[in-house]
Amino acid sequence: PADVVLLDLGMPHISGFDVCRTIRALPGGPQAVLVALTGWGQEGDRDRTRAAGFDAHLVKPVDLPALLEQLRDLLATRSS
């Protein structure tokens, strides 16, 4: 898998939750940084992303500097 994956949750045919679970089950999947990038921002949505295995949940529109900072932090955690 890729090092970083940004996923929307409400995609046609398969949900971002299912994609996250699928990536996590692949070899190397547990080490990938998976970020939900979505318009869904309720606490229940955040609970579901955590349960599915996402590392972070960001609500659109996303502030680019905040996204980059979050990714740096998550990647630093993975490499240590």
Side-chain angles (χ1 to χ4, degrees):
D3 292 332
V4 175
V5 179
L6 304 177
L7 282 171
D8 197 349
L9 299 178
M11 301 182 297
H13 309 295
I14 186 169
S15 76
F17 301 104
D18 292 334
V19 173
C20 179
R21 288 186 203 92
T22 299
I23 291 171
R24 290 290 186 220
L26 295 172
Q31 291 76 34
V33 171
L34 301 178
V35 178
L37 186 61
T38 180
W40 301 352
Q42 300 295 321
E43 193 56 38
D45 301 320
R46 293 175 187 280
D47 292 342
R48 289 179 63 203
T49 56
R50 274 190 294 276
F54 281 95
D55 296 296
H57 181 121
L58 300 174
V59 178
K60 297 177 200 175
V62 173
D63 177 64
L64 185 57
L67 170 62
L68 294 174
E69 181 178 345
Q70 179 114 45
L71 291 175
R72 271 192 300 273
D73 292 346
L74 289 166
L75 289 167
T77 303
R78 290 288 192 276
S79 64
S80 55

